[in-house]
Amino acid sequence: MWFVLLIGLLAVLVAALLWRHNQDRARKERERDVRRARTDQMLARVLLGEDRAERHTIGGAPTGVWPEPPTASAEPATRPNPITQPVDIDILLGDEPTTIAEQARQQLGRPTTLLSGLSGESTLPRPHGAAASSPLSLLDGRIEVPLDALVVSWFSARGYVMKPAPSSAQPISLLMNHREDRDRSYAFFFDRGRLHAQRAAALLEKAHALGMNRLLVAAEHGADTAVSSVRLRDVLVMDWVAIDREMKRIDFRIAAKIIAIARTRRGFLGLA
């Protein structure tokens, strides 16, 4: 009798746990859908000029049309071209006023070594619920965009062309070369956690073996302090804090276009 009751209680407990698990999963999916919809609305407002007044840099007149990202080739998005520049700067700035476009060209064209605070130092994890300083803040969870795609999109807008890394180079996924300066080259990979110095050193050696001068890491939770040591000065870490800082340095509309491409053209960025 007790055995039957025990079996019954276990069955009820398992059913309750499964129900709660399904409820949590459904809630997370609803929250994700809400964030994505909110991101689309926010980017649309920025591109239409409605949120422009809240930023120090001023963009061009609203066009009333959502700008289309660069069109992909006839091949499927999951099979990127051997060499591609997903974000064409001329298309990106084509509908912007001359003064804004020229300012953006100068900002995006700066060598990475001159970018303040991007030397591979340890940075904070992406905070939750923090107050945003602008409608395009990436740090408060209001914008749903993958970090790796955003970093690649930003580098592409700065003149880098992408080539898939050989399978033997994993976890390195892309080889990035600046179209006008051969000395500016990176091997790219995405770290879902925190980058440790030992792993960074091993992958930097692999990057050099591939002919790349530096290693670029999109790290969800930044990097250990040791990564910024002199020995690893050729490791560049981009986390949410770093990429948010760079997005805020450029005009609203241009940042919104880069974010929109990162959200919708993952395959075309070579990350599918």
Side-chain angles (χ1 to χ4, degrees), residues 83-122:
I83 299 178
T84 182
Q85 186 172 7
V87 184
D88 188 304
I89 188 66
D90 294 325
I91 296 176
L92 190 72
L93 304 178
D95 61 344
E96 301 297 334
T98 303
T99 54
I100 297 301
E102 289 306 315
Q103 183 183 31
R105 285 182 189 277
Q106 294 177 7
Q107 291 170 328
L108 293 171
R110 292 176 303 163
T112 309
T113 52
L114 299 180
L115 293 173
S116 172
L118 298 183
S119 58
E121 77 279 14
S122 174

Side-chain angles (χ1 to χ4, degrees), residues 237-248:
V237 179
M238 296 291 293
D239 67 355
W240 289 107
V241 175
I243 194 65
D244 180 70
R245 180 169 61 241
E246 296 310 314
M247 288 293 104
K248 288 179 179 177

Side-chain angles (χ1 to χ4, degrees), residues 22-64:
N22 290 334
Q23 289 293 104
D24 288 342
R25 185 172 60 181
R27 176 180 56 80
K28 291 178 181 178
E29 289 178 354
R30 288 195 301 270
E31 291 176 351
R32 187 180 300 113
D33 290 340
V34 169
R35 287 198 305 272
R36 287 175 177 170
R38 187 166 54 210
T39 299
D40 288 336
Q41 294 170 3
M42 184 181 303
L43 294 180
R45 288 198 303 270
V46 171
L47 290 172
L48 294 175
E50 296 176 15
D51 286 330
R52 188 180 304 280
E54 298 184 40
R55 184 172 178 138
H56 295 300
T57 54
I58 306 301
T63 61

Side-chain angles (χ1 to χ4, degrees), residues 1-269:
M1 179 66 180
W2 289 107
F3 180 75
V4 174
L5 289 175
L6 180 60
I7 294 296
L9 288 174
L10 288 175
V12 171
L13 180 61
V14 169
L17 289 174
L18 287 175
W19 178 83
R20 181 165 185 175
H21 173 74
N22 290 334
Q23 289 293 104
D24 288 342
R25 185 172 60 181
R27 176 180 56 80
K28 291 178 181 178
E29 289 178 354
R30 288 195 301 270
E31 291 176 351
R32 187 180 300 113
D33 290 340
V34 169
R35 287 198 305 272
R36 287 175 177 170
R38 187 166 54 210
T39 299
D40 288 336
Q41 294 170 3
M42 184 181 303
L43 294 180
R45 288 198 303 270
V46 171
L47 290 172
L48 294 175
E50 296 176 15
D51 286 330
R52 188 180 304 280
E54 298 184 40
R55 184 172 178 138
H56 295 300
T57 54
I58 306 301
T63 61
V65 179
W66 180 283
E68 286 293 327
T71 55
S73 63
E75 296 186 17
T78 55
R79 298 174 55 190
N81 293 330
I83 299 178
T84 182
Q85 186 172 7
V87 184
D88 188 304
I89 188 66
D90 294 325
I91 296 176
L92 190 72
L93 304 178
D95 61 344
E96 301 297 334
T98 303
T99 54
I100 297 301
E102 289 306 315
Q103 183 183 31
R105 285 182 189 277
Q106 294 177 7
Q107 291 170 328
L108 293 171
R110 292 176 303 163
T112 309
T113 52
L114 299 180
L115 293 173
S116 172
L118 298 183
S119 58
E121 77 279 14
S122 174
T123 50
L124 298 174
R126 187 180 186 181
H128 296 283
S133 59
S134 80
L136 284 185
S137 174
L138 300 164
L139 300 181
D140 63 357
R142 290 193 297 164
I143 295 183
E144 182 79 9
V145 57
L147 177 63
D148 56 345
L150 183 56
V151 171
V152 172
S153 181
W154 182 66
F155 267 79
S156 180
R158 297 177 56 233
Y160 286 84
V161 294
M162 317 297 170
K163 180 171 66 174
S167 57
S168 59
Q170 293 297 320
I172 292 173
S173 60
L174 292 175
L175 305 181
M176 305 163 56
N177 291 274
H178 196 274
R179 63 180 179 180
E180 297 178 356
D181 187 348
R182 290 189 175 184
D183 291 334
R184 296 166 65 179
S185 62
Y186 291 90
F188 171 82
F189 88 99
F190 175 50
D191 194 321
R192 297 183 183 278
R194 186 172 181 82
L195 180 66
H196 299 290
Q198 184 176 2
R199 188 183 194 201
L203 289 171
L204 179 59
E205 291 183 5
K206 185 175 288 190
H208 288 162
L210 292 168
M212 301 291 104
N213 291 330
R214 303 184 74 185
L215 176 69
L216 171 63
V217 185
E220 286 279 354
H221 299 289
D224 289 345
T225 305
V227 175
S228 62
S229 67
V230 175
R231 188 169 64 90
L232 296 176
R233 63 185 181 276
D234 289 332
V235 177
L236 176 63
V237 179
M238 296 291 293
D239 67 355
W240 289 107
V241 175
I243 194 65
D244 180 70
R245 180 169 61 241
E246 296 310 314
M247 288 293 104
K248 288 179 179 177
R249 287 177 176 173
I250 58 180
D251 183 77
F252 254 13
R253 280 171 54 88
I254 298 168
K257 291 175 187 177
I258 293 174
I259 293 171
I261 291 172
R263 293 187 71 248
T264 62
R265 296 300 180 94
R266 185 176 179 83
F268 193 58
L269 292 169

